[in-house]
Amino acid sequence: MEHYNMNLTLKVWRQKNAEAKGYFETFEVKDISSEMSFLEMFDVLNERLISEGKDPIAFDSDCREGICGTCSMYVDGRAHGPWQKNTVCQLHMRAYKEGDTIVVEPWRSVAFPVIKDLMVDRKAFDRIIEAGGYISVNTGNAPDANNILVDRAKSDEAFDSAACIGCGACVAACPNGSAMLFVGAKVSQLALLPQGQPERISRVLNMVDQMDKEGFGNCGNIYNCEAECPKGISVENIARMNREYLGASLSSKIQERPVRMVDPMNEKG
């Protein structure tokens, strides 16, 4: 693959905090290698800003391997940039050419307030997981766990759902700011496995309730979430979550019904 250098113009969102008014700031970056990742390009720019005594651009990153989901950026109107099933850290500068102008923004969602510049607070996802995205079954040692038979098809479906990295691209891409793809994936991951059955009812009720409390919008069946998900999580997870929620709601109402006591001395009750 041909290697080349390029000069680019960046229009980057700058915002001191969630309460401050944001604005776009323009930067010229020169001699950027086509083999750099998008975040490495930002590293180069920040080194220059620091050397000039200016405030560097704040952005999140950790693994830089497409695993952690922290690099939450909108690039030219697309969550994680122009490449399909890709995170920003895995987006390389060969996606661009000499003289291009690139607009970079943080996720836009009421539930993801801006911390600074391109960093957003995604703790709402953590609180949804804390509400029910776990199991408390004691599986014992490895041999005990192996005694629990798992259907291969269900196992594959659960694995596909578990691929969600919680990056928030689904929320950012949805016009309604819905988190239903994220919650659907986390509910499905455990609902499909035998270890997740004991808390199946409470899990979906609590997680959906917490999702609503966090201020996420409703699903509009637009499928932007699936299209922009870096792991290709299917909207089938949303449908499964809806079925789980309906079933759990009906089960809860049945369980909450008062028991009709019968006087043993009077069989008619």
Side-chain angles (χ1 to χ4, degrees):
M1 186 175 295
E2 182 183 359
H3 169 271
Y4 55 94
N5 287 356
M6 69 193 94
N7 301 320
L8 301 165
T9 299
L10 299 181
K11 292 186 177 181
V12 183
W13 186 259
R14 306 303 301 268
Q15 188 170 340
K16 187 175 181 180
N17 53 49
E19 289 73 35
K21 184 177 181 180
Y23 60 95
F24 282 105
E25 186 171 357
T26 301
F27 302 94
E28 303 294 332
V29 288
K30 301 182 182 299
D31 295 324
I32 297 299
S33 168
S34 60
E35 297 308 299
M36 282 184 181
S37 75
F38 201 83
L39 296 189
E40 286 173 333
M41 179 269 296
F42 263 112
D43 291 338
V44 171
L45 173 58
N46 276 343
E47 287 178 5
R48 192 192 86 193
L49 293 176
I50 292 171
S51 68
E52 295 173 353
K54 299 177 181 177
D55 190 24
I57 299 164
F59 65 91
D60 252 333
S61 71
D62 189 2
C63 71
R64 298 205 177 192
E65 295 178 349
I67 299 171
C68 70
T70 60
C71 52
S72 45
M73 296 182 196
Y74 240 99
V75 182
D76 283 340
R78 293 283 304 274
H80 292 302
W83 288 357
Q84 291 292 107
K85 296 183 180 180
N86 198 78
T87 54
V88 177
C89 64
Q90 293 295 290
L91 174 65
H92 283 72
M93 298 312 297
R94 59 179 175 271
Y96 300 95
K97 61 183 185 299
E98 170 69 26
D100 277 353
T101 296
I102 308 171
V103 180
V104 190
E105 306 170 71
W107 289 162
R108 303 295 190 182
S109 172
V110 173
F112 291 159
V114 172
I115 296 174
K116 185 179 181 182
D117 297 341
L118 304 176
M119 295 178 65
V120 297
D121 184 347
R122 293 178 298 123
K123 287 198 289 289
F125 273 6
D126 295 334
R127 290 189 287 270
I128 291 172
I129 295 298
E130 290 170 4
Y134 54 83
I135 61 172
S136 57
V137 177
N138 186 0
T139 58
N141 296 319
D144 300 317
N146 290 336
N147 287 331
I148 303 175
L149 298 179
V150 182
D151 179 79
R152 175 59 185 271
K154 295 293 184 184
S155 175
D156 289 344
E157 284 185 90
F159 186 85
D160 290 342
S161 299
C164 171
I165 58 176
C167 66
C170 53
V171 177
C174 177
N176 297 334
S178 172
M180 291 187 74
L181 189 65
F182 166 77
V183 180
K186 299 306 179 182
V187 167
S188 295
Q189 173 188 342
L190 299 176
L192 288 164
L193 298 174
Q195 293 89 345
Q197 300 311 301
E199 292 146 328
R200 188 171 181 174
I201 292 175
S202 61
R203 175 182 301 113
V204 66
L205 293 176
N206 291 340
M207 292 182 74
V208 170
D209 181 55
Q210 187 63 41
M211 175 182 70
D212 292 339
K213 289 179 181 177
E214 297 294 342
F216 292 105
N218 293 321
C219 175
N221 291 319
I222 300 173
Y223 294 6
N224 280 11
C225 54
E226 181 181 288
E228 300 292 7
C229 176
K231 299 301 177 181
I233 303 297
S234 171
V235 292
E236 290 179 4
N237 289 282
I238 297 177
R240 184 180 295 109
M241 181 188 70
N242 286 336
R243 293 193 298 270
E244 289 285 323
Y245 186 81
L246 177 59
S249 298
L250 293 174
S251 297
S252 297
K253 289 179 181 178
I254 291 172
Q255 292 173 8
E256 290 171 0
R257 285 179 182 172
V259 178
R260 180 171 176 267
M261 301 300 294
V262 178
D263 184 347
M265 301 301 294
N266 180 3
E267 293 183 359
K268 293 182 178 179

